[in-house]
C-alpha cells in the first residue's frame, strides 16, 4: 500500500484489532465489513479475504476517476501485446 499511496493522491488507514473485537455486537452495529477487508471510499472492495495489488490499484483509479492500469502481464508489456 505505501507504493500506491505515493503513486496516487490517497490516504491509507489501517485498522488492526484482536479478532475477538471484530465479532462483537458493537462492531456489527458500525456497519463495517467483516475482517479482513479493504474499502476504498465507501466501497467495500473485498471482505473476508485477501486482495491483489492490481485489483486494489484498479479500484483506486476508478475511485479517483482515472483510467485503470493495464492488466497485461510482463511479456505483454515488454512486447506491446
Amino acid at each position: 500500500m505505501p507504493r500506491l499511496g505515493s503513486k496516487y493522491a490517497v490516504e491509507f488507514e489501517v485498522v488492526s484489532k484482536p479478532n475477538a473485537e471484530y465479532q462483537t455486537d458493537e462492531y456489527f452495529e458500525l456497519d463495517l465489513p467483516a475482517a479482513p477487508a479493504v474499502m476504498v471510499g465507501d466501497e467495500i472492495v473485498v471482505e473476508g479475504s485477501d486482495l491483489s495489488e492490481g485489483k486494489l490499484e484498479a479500484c483506486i483509479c476508478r475511485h479517483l476517476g482515472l483510467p485503470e492500469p493495464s492488466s497485461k502481464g510482463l511479456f505483454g508489456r515488454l512486447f506491446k501485446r
Side-chain angles (χ1 to χ4, degrees), residues 11-36:
E11 291 182 29
F12 287 94
E13 179 181 353
V14 177
V15 178
S16 179
K17 300 178 181 187
N19 286 340
E21 286 191 39
Y22 292 111
Q23 304 301 321
T24 64
D25 291 336
E26 292 81 16
Y27 182 80
F28 287 112
E29 289 174 7
L30 295 174
D31 200 30
L32 294 172

Side-chain angles (χ1 to χ4, degrees), residues 44-61:
I44 299 172
V45 180
V46 67
E47 111 180 84
S49 67
D50 292 333
L51 177 68
S52 72
E53 183 177 327
K55 289 183 181 182
L56 177 59
E57 185 172 9
C59 186
I60 290 170
C61 288

Side-chain angles (χ1 to χ4, degrees), residues 58-70:
C59 186
I60 290 170
C61 288
R62 282 193 307 273
H63 180 74
L64 296 174
L66 301 171
E68 293 185 23
S70 172

